[in-house]
């Protein structure tokens, strides 16, 4: 995409989507990724992705790598050219992948436990950061990753990689559009899902936020499912000026984030997301 002055911020699955966009993944590429992962999760048992012993990130990793490779090949990027492409396309603060430091984490939205990666030396660096940004112990991966597993490999790859942290921020607002707002953080061996510390990252009031559930922001445009009911049907998300809809539809949306459903339902969700984006642009 032609986004020379834009910065994409991603926590958890948002980091995967943002990285995919910058590497050339299309909407048509993403549905097969979701479908293949969901099929594996449904096969795991009634609890799908939350079935004990099932690791979503281990299922996702090879599928995502295959899709990324195909997207890059469509752009004529192969072999030794891939890492150079990543450095040219993704660096320059065009992407911020958020992580959570488990040694500092005390509660959801704890800004002091956040870190971010915005410079990537290779495709492996990018994928490792995104995998860890999506890693919730017991949720999307094992509490103690086995040697050679996806999370273990990502831990080892990132253990000597410096990351950054915002010098200031009011919760999920993560600073300005220049490097002066960032400070280096020494490498750590382990990182967790970035959404634990920064669930809906934004740079400032110009950031367009994207959410799989219906929320409202007092300061930002949000692309999300339509709000159901009146303003009383909402609950504050911390003190960040965000309100989540308490409708039944939002509860179902949250459930679909935790448990794998059928492909037909995902097709419906994809179509509704497109309609939501168009509606917000028209408004």
């Amino acid at each position: 995409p032609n986004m020379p002055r834009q910065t994409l911020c991603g926590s958890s699955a948002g980091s995967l989507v943002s990285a995919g966009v910058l590497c050339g993944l299309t909407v048509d590429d993403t549905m097969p990724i979701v479908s293949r992962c969901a099929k594996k999760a449904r096969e795991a048992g009634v609890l799908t992705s939350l079935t004990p012993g099932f690791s979503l990130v281990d299922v996702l990793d090879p599928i995502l790598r295959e899709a990324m490779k195909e997207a890059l090949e469509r752009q004529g990027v192969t072999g030794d050219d891939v890492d150079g492409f990543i450095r040219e396309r993704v660096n320059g603060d065009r992407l911020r992948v958020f992580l959570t430091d488990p040694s500092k984490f005390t509660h959801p939205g704890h800004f002091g436990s956040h870190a971010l990666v915005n410079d990537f030396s290779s495709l492996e660096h990018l994928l490792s950061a995104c995998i860890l940004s999506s890693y919730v112990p017991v949720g999307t991966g094992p509490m103690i990753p086995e040697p050679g597993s996806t999370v273990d490999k990502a831990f080892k790859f990132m253990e000597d990689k410096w990351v950054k942290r915002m010098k200031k921020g009011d919760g999920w607002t993560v600073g300005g559009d220049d490097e002066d707002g960032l400070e280096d953080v020494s490498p750590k061996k382990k990182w967790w899902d970035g959404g634990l510390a920064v669930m809906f990252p934004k740079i400032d009031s110009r950031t367009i936020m994207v959410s799989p559930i219906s929320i409202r922001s007092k300061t930002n445009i949000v692309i999300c499912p339509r709000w159901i009911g009146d303003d009383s049907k909402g609950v504050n998300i911390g003190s960040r000026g965000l309100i989540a809809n308490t409708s039944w539809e939002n509860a179902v949306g949250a459930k679909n984030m935790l448990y794998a459903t059928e492909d037909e339902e995902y097709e419906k969700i994809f179509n509704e997301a497109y309609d939501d984006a168009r509606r917000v642009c028209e408004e």
Side-chain angles (χ1 to χ4, degrees):
N2 183 21
M3 302 165 55
R5 290 181 295 277
Q6 304 296 328
T7 298
L8 297 181
C9 296
S11 284
S12 196
S15 69
L16 298 168
V17 173
S18 298
V21 167
L22 286 173
C23 289
L25 283 180
T26 67
V27 174
D28 291 336
D29 294 325
T30 55
M31 184 59 200
I33 297 174
V34 172
S35 178
R36 291 172 65 184
C37 289
K39 183 176 184 294
K40 290 287 188 181
R42 291 194 299 269
E43 292 172 350
V46 176
L47 296 178
T48 65
S49 59
L50 297 181
T51 301
F54 180 80
S55 173
L56 180 59
V57 290
D58 281 286
V59 170
L60 170 64
D61 183 61
I63 296 174
L64 180 62
R65 288 174 184 275
E66 179 184 335
M68 286 282 216
K69 179 181 178 181
E70 292 175 355
L72 293 170
E73 286 177 348
R74 287 199 300 265
Q75 302 169 75
V77 181
T78 60
D80 295 339
D81 295 333
V82 170
D83 290 344
F85 176 90
I86 295 299
R87 291 191 291 270
E88 179 180 349
R89 174 65 67 88
V90 181
N91 287 351
D93 204 30
R94 298 190 68 195
L95 173 64
R96 297 182 179 186
V97 173
F98 284 82
L99 304 166
T100 296
D101 181 350
S103 69
K104 296 180 180 295
F105 179 70
T106 58
H107 59 273
H110 180 210
F111 188 75
S113 63
H114 91 279
L116 65 91
V117 185
N118 70 339
D119 285 300
F120 306 88
S121 60
S122 63
L123 179 61
E124 189 65 34
H125 193 177
L126 175 62
L127 290 174
S128 294
C130 290
I131 285 292
L132 295 183
S133 181
S134 307
Y135 167 57
V136 181
V138 185
T140 61
M143 184 68 203
I144 302 177
E146 295 183 0
S149 66
T150 295
V151 173
D152 179 63
K153 290 178 180 178
F155 279 160
K156 290 179 178 178
F157 188 89
M158 292 292 294
E159 65 184 0
D160 64 344
K161 300 295 187 295
W162 284 71
V163 299
K164 296 181 180 179
R165 194 189 309 277
M166 290 291 174
K167 295 179 182 178
K168 58 183 178 179
D170 57 344
W172 293 326
T173 300
V174 293
D177 56 3
D178 59 70
E179 291 292 328
D180 292 336
L182 301 176
E183 60 183 354
D184 289 328
V185 179
S186 60
K188 291 182 179 294
K189 187 172 183 179
K190 296 182 180 179
W191 298 103
W192 284 358
D193 189 298
L196 297 173
V198 186
M199 186 179 298
F200 295 107
K202 62 178 182 178
I203 293 178
D204 54 34
S205 60
R206 297 171 297 174
T207 302
I208 298 176
M209 305 172 70
V210 181
S211 169
I213 60 173
S214 180
I215 65 172
R216 282 182 174 175
S217 170
K218 296 179 180 179
T219 58
N220 291 74
I221 295 173
V222 183
I223 296 176
C224 65
R226 187 183 296 274
W227 188 274
I228 304 296
D230 56 34
D231 290 342
S232 65
K233 290 188 175 296
V235 58
N236 290 324
I237 307 178
S239 59
R240 281 75 177 182
L242 294 176
I243 303 173
N245 195 201
T246 55
S247 66
W248 172 253
E249 289 80 0
N250 239 21
V252 172
K255 186 268 292 181
N256 287 336
M257 292 168 59
L258 296 174
Y259 299 96
T261 186
E262 299 297 328
D263 285 354
E264 294 76 11
E265 183 65 22
Y266 286 123
E267 291 280 4
K268 178 183 176 184
I269 293 171
F270 269 56
N271 291 330
E272 289 175 347
Y274 176 84
D275 292 340
D276 290 330
R278 183 175 61 182
R279 170 178 53 81
V280 170
C281 290
E282 291 174 347
E283 292 175 352

